[in-house]
Short mmCIF file of all heavy atoms in Angstrom, two decimals:
data_model
loop_
_atom_site.label_atom_id
_atom_site.label_comp_id
_atom_site.label_asym_id
_atom_site.label_seq_id
_atom_site.Cartn_x
_atom_site.Cartn_y
_atom_site.Cartn_z
N MET F 1 -26.84 -10.52 -21.03
CA MET F 1 -26.44 -10.64 -19.65
C MET F 1 -24.99 -10.20 -19.52
O MET F 1 -24.18 -10.44 -20.40
CB MET F 1 -26.55 -12.07 -19.17
CG MET F 1 -27.94 -12.60 -19.06
SD MET F 1 -27.86 -14.24 -18.33
CE MET F 1 -29.23 -14.11 -17.25
N SER F 2 -24.69 -9.61 -18.42
CA SER F 2 -23.31 -9.18 -18.20
C SER F 2 -22.45 -10.34 -17.72
O SER F 2 -22.95 -11.38 -17.28
CB SER F 2 -23.27 -8.04 -17.19
OG SER F 2 -23.50 -8.53 -15.89
N ALA F 3 -21.16 -10.15 -17.82
CA ALA F 3 -20.23 -11.20 -17.40
C ALA F 3 -20.36 -11.50 -15.92
O ALA F 3 -20.21 -12.65 -15.48
CB ALA F 3 -18.81 -10.80 -17.74
N THR F 4 -20.66 -10.47 -15.13
CA THR F 4 -20.81 -10.67 -13.69
C THR F 4 -22.00 -11.58 -13.39
O THR F 4 -21.91 -12.50 -12.56
CB THR F 4 -21.01 -9.32 -12.98
OG1 THR F 4 -19.92 -8.47 -13.32
CG2 THR F 4 -21.07 -9.48 -11.48
N THR F 5 -23.10 -11.37 -14.08
CA THR F 5 -24.29 -12.20 -13.87
C THR F 5 -24.03 -13.62 -14.30
O THR F 5 -24.38 -14.58 -13.59
CB THR F 5 -25.47 -11.62 -14.65
OG1 THR F 5 -25.67 -10.26 -14.27
CG2 THR F 5 -26.74 -12.39 -14.39
N ILE F 6 -23.43 -13.79 -15.48
CA ILE F 6 -23.14 -15.13 -15.97
C ILE F 6 -22.15 -15.84 -15.04
O ILE F 6 -22.31 -17.02 -14.73
CB ILE F 6 -22.61 -15.07 -17.41
CG1 ILE F 6 -23.72 -14.59 -18.34
CG2 ILE F 6 -22.09 -16.43 -17.85
CD1 ILE F 6 -23.27 -14.30 -19.75
N GLY F 7 -21.13 -15.11 -14.57
CA GLY F 7 -20.18 -15.70 -13.63
C GLY F 7 -20.85 -16.13 -12.34
O GLY F 7 -20.54 -17.18 -11.78
N GLY F 8 -21.77 -15.30 -11.87
CA GLY F 8 -22.51 -15.65 -10.66
C GLY F 8 -23.38 -16.88 -10.85
O GLY F 8 -23.45 -17.76 -9.98
N LEU F 9 -24.04 -16.96 -12.00
CA LEU F 9 -24.88 -18.13 -12.27
C LEU F 9 -24.05 -19.41 -12.39
O LEU F 9 -24.42 -20.45 -11.85
CB LEU F 9 -25.69 -17.90 -13.55
CG LEU F 9 -26.78 -16.84 -13.48
CD1 LEU F 9 -27.37 -16.59 -14.86
CD2 LEU F 9 -27.86 -17.27 -12.50
N ILE F 10 -22.94 -19.32 -13.10
CA ILE F 10 -22.09 -20.51 -13.25
C ILE F 10 -21.48 -20.90 -11.90
O ILE F 10 -21.46 -22.08 -11.55
CB ILE F 10 -20.99 -20.25 -14.30
CG1 ILE F 10 -21.64 -20.13 -15.68
CG2 ILE F 10 -19.95 -21.35 -14.29
CD1 ILE F 10 -20.69 -19.69 -16.77
N GLY F 11 -20.99 -19.92 -11.15
CA GLY F 11 -20.43 -20.21 -9.83
C GLY F 11 -21.45 -20.82 -8.90
O GLY F 11 -21.16 -21.76 -8.15
N GLY F 12 -22.67 -20.29 -8.92
CA GLY F 12 -23.73 -20.85 -8.09
C GLY F 12 -24.10 -22.27 -8.49
O GLY F 12 -24.34 -23.13 -7.65
N ALA F 13 -24.14 -22.53 -9.81
CA ALA F 13 -24.46 -23.87 -10.29
C ALA F 13 -23.38 -24.87 -9.89
O ALA F 13 -23.67 -25.99 -9.45
CB ALA F 13 -24.64 -23.84 -11.80
N ILE F 14 -22.12 -24.47 -10.03
CA ILE F 14 -21.03 -25.36 -9.65
C ILE F 14 -21.05 -25.62 -8.15
O ILE F 14 -20.86 -26.76 -7.69
CB ILE F 14 -19.67 -24.79 -10.10
CG1 ILE F 14 -19.58 -24.82 -11.63
CG2 ILE F 14 -18.51 -25.55 -9.48
CD1 ILE F 14 -18.38 -24.09 -12.18
N ASP F 15 -21.31 -24.58 -7.37
CA ASP F 15 -21.32 -24.74 -5.92
C ASP F 15 -22.49 -25.60 -5.47
O ASP F 15 -22.37 -26.38 -4.52
CB ASP F 15 -21.37 -23.38 -5.25
CG ASP F 15 -21.11 -23.46 -3.76
OD1 ASP F 15 -20.23 -24.25 -3.37
OD2 ASP F 15 -21.76 -22.74 -2.98
N SER F 16 -23.63 -25.49 -6.13
CA SER F 16 -24.79 -26.28 -5.72
C SER F 16 -24.62 -27.75 -6.08
O SER F 16 -25.24 -28.61 -5.47
CB SER F 16 -26.07 -25.74 -6.34
OG SER F 16 -26.05 -25.90 -7.74
N MET F 17 -23.75 -28.06 -7.04
CA MET F 17 -23.49 -29.45 -7.39
C MET F 17 -22.75 -30.18 -6.29
O MET F 17 -22.82 -31.41 -6.18
CB MET F 17 -22.68 -29.54 -8.70
CG MET F 17 -23.50 -29.18 -9.91
SD MET F 17 -22.66 -29.16 -11.52
CE MET F 17 -21.12 -29.91 -11.29
N SER F 18 -22.04 -29.45 -5.42
CA SER F 18 -21.30 -30.10 -4.34
C SER F 18 -22.20 -30.49 -3.17
O SER F 18 -21.75 -31.15 -2.26
CB SER F 18 -20.18 -29.18 -3.85
OG SER F 18 -20.72 -28.03 -3.22
N GLY F 19 -23.46 -30.08 -3.21
CA GLY F 19 -24.41 -30.49 -2.19
C GLY F 19 -24.52 -29.55 -1.01
O GLY F 19 -25.11 -29.89 0.00
N ASP F 20 -23.95 -28.36 -1.10
CA ASP F 20 -24.07 -27.39 -0.01
C ASP F 20 -25.51 -26.89 0.09
O ASP F 20 -26.31 -27.05 -0.81
CB ASP F 20 -23.13 -26.21 -0.24
CG ASP F 20 -21.67 -26.58 -0.05
OD1 ASP F 20 -21.42 -27.60 0.62
OD2 ASP F 20 -20.81 -25.86 -0.57
N ASP F 21 -25.80 -26.25 1.23
CA ASP F 21 -27.15 -25.73 1.45
C ASP F 21 -27.48 -24.60 0.47
O ASP F 21 -28.56 -24.56 -0.08
CB ASP F 21 -27.28 -25.20 2.88
CG ASP F 21 -27.17 -26.30 3.90
OD1 ASP F 21 -27.25 -27.47 3.51
OD2 ASP F 21 -27.01 -26.00 5.09
N SER F 22 -26.56 -23.69 0.32
CA SER F 22 -26.83 -22.51 -0.50
C SER F 22 -25.76 -22.37 -1.58
O SER F 22 -24.60 -22.70 -1.37
CB SER F 22 -26.82 -21.26 0.40
OG SER F 22 -26.92 -20.11 -0.39
N ALA F 23 -26.19 -21.85 -2.70
CA ALA F 23 -25.25 -21.62 -3.79
C ALA F 23 -24.78 -20.18 -3.81
O ALA F 23 -24.07 -19.76 -4.73
CB ALA F 23 -25.91 -21.97 -5.11
N ALA F 24 -25.13 -19.41 -2.77
CA ALA F 24 -24.82 -17.99 -2.76
C ALA F 24 -23.32 -17.72 -2.70
O ALA F 24 -22.83 -16.83 -3.40
CB ALA F 24 -25.50 -17.31 -1.57
N ASP F 25 -22.58 -18.48 -1.90
CA ASP F 25 -21.14 -18.23 -1.84
C ASP F 25 -20.46 -18.56 -3.15
O ASP F 25 -19.53 -17.87 -3.58
CB ASP F 25 -20.49 -18.96 -0.67
CG ASP F 25 -20.73 -20.46 -0.67
OD1 ASP F 25 -21.68 -20.91 -1.33
OD2 ASP F 25 -19.97 -21.18 0.01
N GLY F 26 -20.91 -19.59 -3.84
CA GLY F 26 -20.37 -19.90 -5.16
C GLY F 26 -20.71 -18.82 -6.18
O GLY F 26 -19.90 -18.49 -7.05
N ALA F 27 -21.91 -18.25 -6.05
CA ALA F 27 -22.30 -17.16 -6.94
C ALA F 27 -21.43 -15.93 -6.71
O ALA F 27 -21.04 -15.25 -7.67
CB ALA F 27 -23.77 -16.82 -6.74
N ILE F 28 -21.11 -15.66 -5.47
CA ILE F 28 -20.24 -14.52 -5.15
C ILE F 28 -18.85 -14.75 -5.72
O ILE F 28 -18.28 -13.86 -6.36
CB ILE F 28 -20.20 -14.27 -3.63
CG1 ILE F 28 -21.57 -13.79 -3.15
CG2 ILE F 28 -19.11 -13.28 -3.27
CD1 ILE F 28 -21.72 -13.75 -1.65
N TYR F 29 -18.30 -15.94 -5.50
CA TYR F 29 -16.97 -16.25 -6.05
C TYR F 29 -16.98 -16.19 -7.57
O TYR F 29 -16.02 -15.72 -8.19
CB TYR F 29 -16.49 -17.62 -5.59
CG TYR F 29 -16.20 -17.70 -4.11
CD1 TYR F 29 -16.52 -18.83 -3.38
CD2 TYR F 29 -15.61 -16.65 -3.43
CE1 TYR F 29 -16.26 -18.92 -2.02
CE2 TYR F 29 -15.33 -16.72 -2.07
CZ TYR F 29 -15.66 -17.86 -1.38
OH TYR F 29 -15.40 -17.93 -0.04
N GLY F 30 -18.05 -16.69 -8.19
CA GLY F 30 -18.15 -16.64 -9.64
C GLY F 30 -18.22 -15.23 -10.17
O GLY F 30 -17.60 -14.89 -11.19
N ALA F 31 -18.97 -14.36 -9.48
CA ALA F 31 -19.08 -12.96 -9.90
C ALA F 31 -17.73 -12.24 -9.76
O ALA F 31 -17.34 -11.46 -10.63
CB ALA F 31 -20.16 -12.26 -9.09
N ILE F 32 -17.04 -12.51 -8.67
CA ILE F 32 -15.73 -11.89 -8.47
C ILE F 32 -14.75 -12.37 -9.53
O ILE F 32 -14.00 -11.57 -10.11
CB ILE F 32 -15.21 -12.19 -7.04
CG1 ILE F 32 -16.05 -11.44 -6.01
CG2 ILE F 32 -13.74 -11.81 -6.90
CD1 ILE F 32 -15.78 -11.84 -4.58
N THR F 33 -14.76 -13.67 -9.80
CA THR F 33 -13.87 -14.22 -10.83
C THR F 33 -14.17 -13.61 -12.19
O THR F 33 -13.25 -13.28 -12.94
CB THR F 33 -14.02 -15.75 -10.89
OG1 THR F 33 -13.74 -16.29 -9.59
CG2 THR F 33 -13.09 -16.36 -11.90
N ALA F 34 -15.44 -13.45 -12.52
CA ALA F 34 -15.80 -12.85 -13.81
C ALA F 34 -15.29 -11.42 -13.91
O ALA F 34 -14.78 -11.01 -14.96
CB ALA F 34 -17.32 -12.89 -13.98
N ASN F 35 -15.40 -10.66 -12.83
CA ASN F 35 -14.91 -9.28 -12.86
C ASN F 35 -13.39 -9.21 -12.98
O ASN F 35 -12.87 -8.35 -13.67
CB ASN F 35 -15.38 -8.52 -11.62
CG ASN F 35 -16.82 -8.09 -11.74
OD1 ASN F 35 -17.29 -7.77 -12.82
ND2 ASN F 35 -17.53 -8.10 -10.63
N VAL F 36 -12.70 -10.12 -12.32
CA VAL F 36 -11.24 -10.15 -12.43
C VAL F 36 -10.84 -10.51 -13.85
O VAL F 36 -9.94 -9.91 -14.44
CB VAL F 36 -10.64 -11.14 -11.41
CG1 VAL F 36 -9.18 -11.40 -11.69
CG2 VAL F 36 -10.83 -10.61 -9.99
N LEU F 37 -11.52 -11.50 -14.44
CA LEU F 37 -11.20 -11.90 -15.81
C LEU F 37 -11.50 -10.82 -16.83
O LEU F 37 -10.83 -10.72 -17.85
CB LEU F 37 -11.94 -13.19 -16.17
CG LEU F 37 -11.41 -14.45 -15.50
CD1 LEU F 37 -12.27 -15.65 -15.88
CD2 LEU F 37 -9.97 -14.71 -15.89
N LYS F 38 -12.51 -9.97 -16.54
CA LYS F 38 -12.81 -8.86 -17.45
C LYS F 38 -11.66 -7.89 -17.52
O LYS F 38 -11.47 -7.21 -18.53
CB LYS F 38 -14.07 -8.10 -17.00
CG LYS F 38 -15.35 -8.77 -17.37
CD LYS F 38 -16.57 -7.87 -17.23
CE LYS F 38 -16.71 -7.22 -15.90
NZ LYS F 38 -17.97 -6.50 -15.71
N VAL F 39 -10.86 -7.81 -16.48
CA VAL F 39 -9.72 -6.90 -16.46
C VAL F 39 -8.45 -7.61 -16.93
O VAL F 39 -7.69 -7.07 -17.74
CB VAL F 39 -9.51 -6.34 -15.03
CG1 VAL F 39 -8.23 -5.55 -14.94
CG2 VAL F 39 -10.70 -5.49 -14.62
N VAL F 40 -8.23 -8.82 -16.46
CA VAL F 40 -6.97 -9.53 -16.72
C VAL F 40 -6.88 -10.04 -18.16
O VAL F 40 -5.82 -9.93 -18.79
CB VAL F 40 -6.80 -10.68 -15.72
CG1 VAL F 40 -5.62 -11.55 -16.07
CG2 VAL F 40 -6.63 -10.13 -14.31
N ALA F 41 -7.95 -10.58 -18.70
CA ALA F 41 -7.90 -11.18 -20.04
C ALA F 41 -7.48 -10.17 -21.12
O ALA F 41 -6.60 -10.49 -21.92
CB ALA F 41 -9.24 -11.83 -20.37
N PRO F 42 -8.05 -8.97 -21.17
CA PRO F 42 -7.59 -8.01 -22.19
C PRO F 42 -6.14 -7.60 -22.02
O PRO F 42 -5.44 -7.39 -23.01
CB PRO F 42 -8.52 -6.81 -22.02
CG PRO F 42 -9.72 -7.33 -21.33
CD PRO F 42 -9.25 -8.46 -20.48
N VAL F 43 -5.68 -7.51 -20.79
CA VAL F 43 -4.27 -7.14 -20.55
C VAL F 43 -3.36 -8.24 -21.07
O VAL F 43 -2.35 -7.97 -21.74
CB VAL F 43 -4.03 -6.88 -19.05
CG1 VAL F 43 -2.55 -6.72 -18.75
CG2 VAL F 43 -4.80 -5.65 -18.59
N VAL F 44 -3.70 -9.49 -20.81
CA VAL F 44 -2.88 -10.61 -21.26
C VAL F 44 -2.88 -10.70 -22.78
O VAL F 44 -1.82 -10.88 -23.40
CB VAL F 44 -3.38 -11.94 -20.63
CG1 VAL F 44 -2.75 -13.15 -21.28
CG2 VAL F 44 -3.14 -11.93 -19.14
N VAL F 45 -4.03 -10.53 -23.41
CA VAL F 45 -4.11 -10.59 -24.87
C VAL F 45 -3.33 -9.44 -25.49
O VAL F 45 -2.59 -9.63 -26.47
CB VAL F 45 -5.58 -10.59 -25.33
CG1 VAL F 45 -5.69 -10.40 -26.83
CG2 VAL F 45 -6.26 -11.89 -24.92
N THR F 46 -3.46 -8.24 -24.94
CA THR F 46 -2.74 -7.09 -25.46
C THR F 46 -1.24 -7.30 -25.34
O THR F 46 -0.47 -6.99 -26.27
CB THR F 46 -3.15 -5.81 -24.71
OG1 THR F 46 -4.56 -5.64 -24.86
CG2 THR F 46 -2.43 -4.60 -25.25
N TYR F 47 -0.78 -7.83 -24.22
CA TYR F 47 0.64 -8.10 -24.03
C TYR F 47 1.13 -9.12 -25.05
O TYR F 47 2.19 -8.95 -25.66
CB TYR F 47 0.89 -8.61 -22.61
CG TYR F 47 2.34 -8.92 -22.34
CD1 TYR F 47 3.23 -7.92 -21.99
CD2 TYR F 47 2.83 -10.21 -22.46
CE1 TYR F 47 4.56 -8.19 -21.75
CE2 TYR F 47 4.16 -10.50 -22.23
CZ TYR F 47 5.02 -9.48 -21.87
OH TYR F 47 6.34 -9.77 -21.64
N ALA F 48 0.36 -10.20 -25.25
CA ALA F 48 0.76 -11.26 -26.18
C ALA F 48 0.83 -10.74 -27.61
O ALA F 48 1.78 -11.04 -28.34
CB ALA F 48 -0.21 -12.43 -26.08
N VAL F 49 -0.14 -9.94 -28.02
CA VAL F 49 -0.13 -9.38 -29.38
C VAL F 49 1.04 -8.41 -29.53
O VAL F 49 1.75 -8.43 -30.54
CB VAL F 49 -1.47 -8.70 -29.70
CG1 VAL F 49 -1.39 -7.88 -30.98
CG2 VAL F 49 -2.58 -9.73 -29.80
N GLY F 50 1.27 -7.58 -28.55
CA GLY F 50 2.39 -6.65 -28.60
C GLY F 50 3.72 -7.37 -28.67
O GLY F 50 4.61 -6.98 -29.44
N TRP F 51 3.87 -8.43 -27.90
CA TRP F 51 5.10 -9.21 -27.93
C TRP F 51 5.30 -9.84 -29.30
O TRP F 51 6.41 -9.83 -29.84
CB TRP F 51 5.05 -10.29 -26.85
CG TRP F 51 6.27 -11.15 -26.84
CD1 TRP F 51 7.45 -10.90 -26.22
CD2 TRP F 51 6.43 -12.42 -27.50
NE1 TRP F 51 8.33 -11.93 -26.45
CE2 TRP F 51 7.73 -12.86 -27.23
CE3 TRP F 51 5.59 -13.20 -28.28
CZ2 TRP F 51 8.22 -14.07 -27.72
CZ3 TRP F 51 6.08 -14.40 -28.77
CH2 TRP F 51 7.38 -14.81 -28.48
N ALA F 52 4.22 -10.39 -29.88
CA ALA F 52 4.32 -11.02 -31.20
C ALA F 52 4.67 -10.01 -32.28
O ALA F 52 5.49 -10.29 -33.16
CB ALA F 52 3.01 -11.73 -31.54
N VAL F 53 4.09 -8.82 -32.21
CA VAL F 53 4.40 -7.78 -33.19
C VAL F 53 5.85 -7.35 -33.04
O VAL F 53 6.57 -7.18 -34.03
CB VAL F 53 3.44 -6.58 -33.04
CG1 VAL F 53 3.91 -5.39 -33.83
CG2 VAL F 53 2.03 -6.99 -33.47
N LEU F 54 6.30 -7.15 -31.83
CA LEU F 54 7.68 -6.76 -31.59
C LEU F 54 8.65 -7.83 -32.08
O LEU F 54 9.67 -7.53 -32.70
CB LEU F 54 7.89 -6.48 -30.10
CG LEU F 54 9.07 -5.62 -29.71
CD1 LEU F 54 8.95 -4.25 -30.36
CD2 LEU F 54 9.12 -5.47 -28.20
N ARG F 55 8.31 -9.07 -31.83
CA ARG F 55 9.14 -10.18 -32.29
C ARG F 55 9.18 -10.23 -33.82
O ARG F 55 10.23 -10.42 -34.42
CB ARG F 55 8.57 -11.48 -31.72
CG ARG F 55 9.26 -12.72 -32.12
CD ARG F 55 10.49 -12.91 -31.33
NE ARG F 55 11.11 -14.16 -31.75
CZ ARG F 55 12.05 -14.75 -31.11
NH1 ARG F 55 12.48 -14.24 -29.98
NH2 ARG F 55 12.56 -15.86 -31.56
N GLY F 56 8.03 -10.04 -34.45
CA GLY F 56 7.96 -10.02 -35.90
C GLY F 56 8.72 -8.86 -36.50
O GLY F 56 9.39 -9.01 -37.53
N ALA F 57 8.64 -7.69 -35.86
CA ALA F 57 9.38 -6.52 -36.35
C ALA F 57 10.88 -6.75 -36.25
O ALA F 57 11.64 -6.36 -37.14
CB ALA F 57 8.97 -5.28 -35.57
N THR F 58 11.31 -7.40 -35.20
CA THR F 58 12.73 -7.70 -35.05
C THR F 58 13.20 -8.67 -36.13
O THR F 58 14.27 -8.48 -36.71
CB THR F 58 12.99 -8.29 -33.65
OG1 THR F 58 12.55 -7.37 -32.66
CG2 THR F 58 14.46 -8.59 -33.45
N GLU F 59 12.39 -9.70 -36.40
CA GLU F 59 12.75 -10.66 -37.44
C GLU F 59 12.79 -9.97 -38.81
O GLU F 59 13.69 -10.23 -39.61
CB GLU F 59 11.74 -11.81 -37.46
CG GLU F 59 11.85 -12.73 -36.27
CD GLU F 59 13.15 -13.49 -36.23
OE1 GLU F 59 13.65 -13.88 -37.30
OE2 GLU F 59 13.67 -13.69 -35.11
N LEU F 60 11.83 -9.11 -39.08
CA LEU F 60 11.80 -8.38 -40.35
C LEU F 60 13.03 -7.48 -40.49
O LEU F 60 13.66 -7.44 -41.56
CB LEU F 60 10.52 -7.56 -40.46
CG LEU F 60 10.33 -6.75 -41.74
CD1 LEU F 60 10.25 -7.69 -42.95
CD2 LEU F 60 9.11 -5.89 -41.64
N LYS F 61 13.38 -6.78 -39.43
CA LYS F 61 14.55 -5.91 -39.45
C LYS F 61 15.82 -6.73 -39.72
O LYS F 61 16.68 -6.34 -40.51
CB LYS F 61 14.70 -5.16 -38.13
CG LYS F 61 15.94 -4.26 -38.06
CD LYS F 61 16.20 -3.75 -36.68
CE LYS F 61 16.60 -4.77 -35.69
NZ LYS F 61 17.94 -5.28 -35.71
N ASP F 62 15.92 -7.89 -39.07
CA ASP F 62 17.09 -8.75 -39.27
C ASP F 62 17.18 -9.26 -40.71
O ASP F 62 18.26 -9.36 -41.27
CB ASP F 62 17.06 -9.93 -38.30
CG ASP F 62 17.38 -9.52 -36.88
OD1 ASP F 62 17.90 -8.40 -36.68
OD2 ASP F 62 17.09 -10.32 -35.95
N ARG F 63 16.04 -9.56 -41.33
CA ARG F 63 16.05 -10.03 -42.71
C ARG F 63 16.42 -8.91 -43.68
O ARG F 63 17.09 -9.15 -44.67
CB ARG F 63 14.70 -10.60 -43.08
CG ARG F 63 14.45 -11.95 -42.49
CD ARG F 63 13.19 -12.56 -43.02
NE ARG F 63 12.98 -13.84 -42.38
CZ ARG F 63 12.12 -14.71 -42.83
NH1 ARG F 63 11.39 -14.45 -43.89
NH2 ARG F 63 11.97 -15.86 -42.19
N VAL F 64 15.93 -7.70 -43.42
CA VAL F 64 16.16 -6.59 -44.33
C VAL F 64 17.60 -6.07 -44.20
O VAL F 64 18.31 -5.88 -45.20
CB VAL F 64 15.15 -5.44 -44.09
CG1 VAL F 64 15.53 -4.20 -44.88
CG2 VAL F 64 13.76 -5.90 -44.46
N PHE F 65 18.04 -5.84 -42.98
CA PHE F 65 19.35 -5.21 -42.75
C PHE F 65 20.44 -6.20 -42.35
O PHE F 65 21.59 -5.81 -42.20
CB PHE F 65 19.24 -4.12 -41.67
CG PHE F 65 18.30 -3.02 -42.03
CD1 PHE F 65 17.10 -2.84 -41.36
CD2 PHE F 65 18.61 -2.14 -43.06
CE1 PHE F 65 16.24 -1.84 -41.71
CE2 PHE F 65 17.75 -1.12 -43.40
CZ PHE F 65 16.56 -0.96 -42.74
N GLY F 66 20.11 -7.41 -42.14
CA GLY F 66 21.08 -8.38 -41.68
C GLY F 66 21.14 -8.39 -40.16
O GLY F 66 20.82 -7.41 -39.50
N LYS F 67 21.53 -9.51 -39.62
CA LYS F 67 21.57 -9.65 -38.16
C LYS F 67 22.77 -8.85 -37.62
O LYS F 67 23.87 -8.94 -38.12
CB LYS F 67 21.70 -11.10 -37.78
CG LYS F 67 21.49 -11.35 -36.31
CD LYS F 67 21.23 -12.82 -36.06
CE LYS F 67 21.04 -13.00 -34.59
NZ LYS F 67 19.72 -13.43 -34.26
N VAL F 68 22.50 -8.06 -36.59
CA VAL F 68 23.55 -7.24 -35.98
C VAL F 68 24.17 -8.03 -34.83
O VAL F 68 23.48 -8.47 -33.91
CB VAL F 68 22.96 -5.91 -35.45
CG1 VAL F 68 24.02 -5.11 -34.74
CG2 VAL F 68 22.35 -5.12 -36.58
N GLU F 69 25.47 -8.23 -34.88
CA GLU F 69 26.19 -8.92 -33.81
C GLU F 69 26.51 -7.92 -32.70
O GLU F 69 26.98 -6.83 -32.97
CB GLU F 69 27.49 -9.52 -34.35
CG GLU F 69 27.29 -10.55 -35.42
CD GLU F 69 26.67 -11.83 -34.91
OE1 GLU F 69 26.91 -12.18 -33.74
OE2 GLU F 69 25.94 -12.46 -35.67
N GLN F 70 26.28 -8.32 -31.49
CA GLN F 70 26.56 -7.40 -30.37
C GLN F 70 27.68 -7.92 -29.52
O GLN F 70 27.93 -9.00 -29.29
CB GLN F 70 25.32 -7.22 -29.49
CG GLN F 70 24.26 -6.47 -30.21
CD GLN F 70 23.04 -6.23 -29.31
OE1 GLN F 70 22.99 -6.68 -28.18
NE2 GLN F 70 22.09 -5.52 -29.83
#
């Protein structure tokens, strides 16, 4: 199943627990949220890994060559 379908199912289930007539609006919100997360999550993870690598490279450079005072 795709993330959009799973998001729609989860959103619909959560919305139907509140006692509304239809779970369709919750399914729509869930599908939209799933699609947004498909784009945002990889960007956030890539940024975090890049930041960690850059931080590690800076620490390694400081250990090898000594800390440069500015």
Side-chain angles (χ1 to χ4, degrees):
M1 292 185 138
S2 74
T4 305
T5 305
I6 293 172
L9 290 172
I10 292 172
I14 291 172
D15 192 40
S16 66
M17 288 177 12
S18 67
D20 289 339
D21 294 346
S22 173
D25 56 341
I28 292 170
Y29 292 141
I32 291 170
T33 303
N35 282 326
V36 168
L37 287 177
K38 281 194 307 188
V39 172
V40 172
V43 171
V44 169
V45 170
T46 302
Y47 180 83
V49 169
W51 179 84
V53 168
L54 201 60
R55 178 80 179 193
T58 302
E59 290 294 324
L60 180 63
K61 178 191 67 76
D62 288 345
R63 285 187 182 194
V64 171
F65 299 111
K67 191 163 180 115
V68 176
E69 298 291 329
Q70 292 183 357

